[in-house]
Amino acid sequence: EAHPGPKGSMVIPEVVELSLIGRVDLDDRRRMVVRDPSPTGDELLDRALATVRRKAGKKPSAVINELGKKLRGELAERLAATGVLRAEKGKVLGIFPTTAWPTSSADHEAAVRRSLTSALVEGTTPEPRDGALVALLHALRATHKVVDPKAHDLRRKELDRRAKEIAEGSWGSQAVRDAIDAMMAAVTVAVMTSTIAATAGSG
C-alpha cells in the first residue's frame, strides 16, 4: 500500500520508507539496525521505527511480518482522512459487515502515475520513492496495471524490461531492496497458503 506522507510525499511500506529517509539500515549480516531513532513526525512511521528498534538484529522479513498486522485498515483510514479514498459500508449476504475504499480524488493517483510514466516510458531517472514503487510493482508483475504500455506504443515486455532495469538500479540502499524482497516473500507465502487451503477444502 502507498499513502500520502506528512508533507504529501509518497510514503511506501514503512520499512522501505524508513530506509529511504536513513532511519534504518542493514548491518554486515543483513540484519535490521536503527541508524537514527529520532521521531519522524509521522505516527505510523514512528511506530514502525519503534518496532525495528525492538527487533534490531532480526531479518527484514521478521520486522515486516510484525508491521503488517492491521496495517491495511490504518492506511485506508489515513487515505480517507486526506480525501484520497472514501469508506463505503456494506454487508455480505446481508449479514457480514464489509468496508470498501473507492477512490474519492484521482489527483494523488494521477500524480503517481505521471511520475512512474516519466521513469518507465520517458527514461528519466526516478526519485528513490518512485524507484522503490517500481521495484514493488515489478516484483508483483503489475507494472502494466499502473502504466498501460499500449497507451505509449510499447509492448508489455518492453515495459517490464524497463521496470527490471529500474528495480536493479542504484535508486536505493540494500536495506530498501531487502525490505522489498522480504515483502514479496511474505506475499508469496500468503498466496501459497491460501491456494493449499482452497485445494484441501475442495478435496
Side-chain angles (χ1 to χ4, degrees), residues 121-197:
V121 178
E122 300 168 16
T124 61
T125 301
E127 294 293 326
R129 286 177 178 80
D130 291 333
L133 187 53
V134 169
L136 283 168
L137 290 170
H138 178 65
L140 288 166
R141 299 181 181 178
T143 311
H144 65 287
K145 295 183 179 181
V146 178
V147 177
D148 182 4
K150 293 181 180 179
H152 303 283
D153 296 322
L154 293 174
R155 292 177 300 168
R156 180 175 168 179
K157 286 184 178 180
E158 293 176 299
L159 186 71
D160 288 342
R161 184 168 59 249
R162 175 56 179 160
K164 182 179 179 181
E165 291 173 356
I166 292 175
E168 296 176 350
S170 57
W171 49 265
S173 70
Q174 187 62 51
V176 176
R177 296 167 188 278
D178 279 16
I180 290 174
D181 289 344
M183 280 184 283
M184 293 316 306
V187 169
T188 300
V189 170
V191 171
M192 290 177 64
T193 301
S194 299
T195 301
I196 292 171

Side-chain angles (χ1 to χ4, degrees), residues 27-54:
D27 61 17
D28 54 7
R29 299 178 303 141
R30 297 168 74 87
R31 302 300 176 96
M32 297 298 302
V33 294
V34 174
R35 298 299 187 195
D36 180 358
S38 61
T40 66
D42 181 286
E43 181 182 355
L44 291 183
L45 290 181
D46 287 341
R47 193 192 314 162
L49 186 58
T51 298
V52 178
R53 290 185 68 182
R54 190 172 68 252

